[in-house]
Amino acid sequence: MMNYTGNPPSRPPEEQTGTPAVPAVRAEALTVVRGPRAVLHELAFTVPRGRITGLLGPSGCGKSTLMRAIAGTQARITGTLDVLGRPAGHPALRTRIGYVTQAPSVFDDLTVRQNLEYFAAILAPGRGAADRRREDVTRAVTDVDLTTHADALAGNLSGGQRSRVSLAVALLGAPDLLVLDEPTVGLDPVLRRDLWALFHSLAADRGATLLVSSHVMDEAERCHRLLLMREGRILADGTPDALRARTGSETVEEAFLHLVDEATTAARAKETTR
């Protein structure tokens, strides 16, 4: 079990220092087109530094496309998308962003440690960085609680363990921004709880910014801030408490459904006035 009990900080970093912080991610009129249709429609939002922002919405709403755009791997982007003060995809961001896709990105014929050593050598090549690489690998294996499986072949691990190897790769080099695409899918409740404890520790103790996507609404309560998506658009942006208060709902799921109904009604009204 992962030994993390970190709670979210009571105040965001900018409130603790008294000075406004530049957001980790800033989007204006962000649009992504795939084939003949737009997948993301003129999105405008920010992701605050040192916090966990949840990206929530049903499957197919554009969450993965948005995350690829932020990580710099998505083509055909228009609008503005700044990440850690630079345009998304800038070469200087490669070692500052840890990106975990839905499918585990590991080599089955290598052990857990060998997988991490391989990616650590890409991030910090050369003999002069050998000690740093060893420290990074050891820390990442410990972070995801795979110390006892460090010498096991990745291909022999369970699906949840393979997902943790992918997360460990993303943690190499202590990135400033972690982009995690549905990292808890298929995991048992205990492991989900422990991963969220790790996420909060990364934000509170290391100052990392996390953008975590999910279609499981109960995970929204674990985030400092939420972006609710539907059909390639941002339905709402705010804290869980603010979204519940805005809609008069008891849960984030109820708030999301309320906002969906509200958007659907507005769209129908717009159609009838044409």
Side-chain angles (χ1 to χ4, degrees):
M1 183 179 295
M2 297 177 213
N3 297 316
Y4 285 96
T5 58
N7 294 317
S10 57
R11 295 178 298 155
E14 61 269 25
E15 291 181 11
Q16 296 175 24
T17 62
T19 58
V22 176
V25 179
R26 182 180 69 87
E28 292 288 345
L30 174 63
T31 299
V32 173
V33 176
R34 185 178 300 138
R37 69 185 185 92
V39 181
L40 301 181
H41 303 268
E42 298 189 338
L43 305 187
F45 65 89
T46 60
V47 173
R49 290 180 184 256
R51 310 290 278 174
I52 301 174
T53 297
L55 182 60
L56 285 97
S59 297
C61 71
K63 299 189 301 295
S64 294
T65 299
L66 176 54
M67 296 190 121
R68 285 194 298 269
I70 292 170
T73 63
Q74 178 63 50
R76 303 188 68 183
I77 295 176
T78 59
T80 299
L81 181 58
D82 292 332
V83 180
L84 301 175
R86 295 181 182 272
H90 192 283
L93 296 174
R94 290 172 185 167
T95 60
R96 300 184 64 195
I97 299 175
Y99 176 38
V100 178
T101 61
Q102 290 185 28
S105 303
V106 297
F107 295 106
D108 288 346
D109 56 346
L110 298 180
T111 67
V112 171
R113 190 182 306 278
Q114 288 169 340
N115 266 284
L116 295 177
E117 288 172 346
Y118 171 79
F119 288 106
I122 294 175
L123 289 171
R127 293 183 179 179
D131 289 342
R132 173 187 164 187
R133 290 197 300 269
R134 280 193 292 270
E135 291 174 1
D136 284 350
V137 168
T138 299
R139 174 180 48 78
V141 169
T142 302
D143 280 345
V144 300
D145 194 28
L146 284 176
T147 304
T148 58
H149 294 84
D151 296 316
L153 287 175
N156 293 336
L157 300 177
S158 68
Q161 290 168 334
R162 284 163 53 82
S163 295
R164 280 187 280 162
V165 178
S166 288
L167 177 58
V169 170
L171 292 174
L172 290 170
D176 298 305
L177 172 64
L178 283 165
V179 180
L180 310 178
D181 196 353
E182 301 198 356
T184 62
V185 168
L187 302 184
D188 65 73
V190 173
L191 186 53
R192 282 179 60 202
R193 178 200 64 190
D194 291 345
L195 277 181
W196 275 100
L198 170 60
F199 297 161
H200 278 288
S201 178
L202 292 170
D205 301 334
R206 301 183 193 175
T209 301
L210 290 86
L211 180 63
V212 184
S213 74
S214 178
H215 61 267
V216 181
M217 288 296 166
D218 67 356
E219 294 195 333
E221 306 291 347
R222 305 171 186 261
C223 301
H224 299 109
R225 194 169 188 84
L226 298 172
L227 295 172
L228 301 185
M229 287 189 69
R230 182 172 184 261
E231 297 180 350
R233 292 180 169 85
I234 301 291
L235 279 182
D237 175 1
T239 65
D241 285 344
L243 293 176
R244 283 193 296 267
R246 169 181 164 184
T247 59
S249 305
E250 294 186 0
T251 67
V252 172
E253 181 172 7
E254 290 178 3
F256 177 78
L257 293 174
H258 177 93
L259 292 165
V260 167
D261 292 342
E262 197 175 69
T264 301
T265 300
R268 288 173 180 168
K270 185 176 181 180
E271 285 294 327
T272 60
T273 58
R274 286 183 177 179

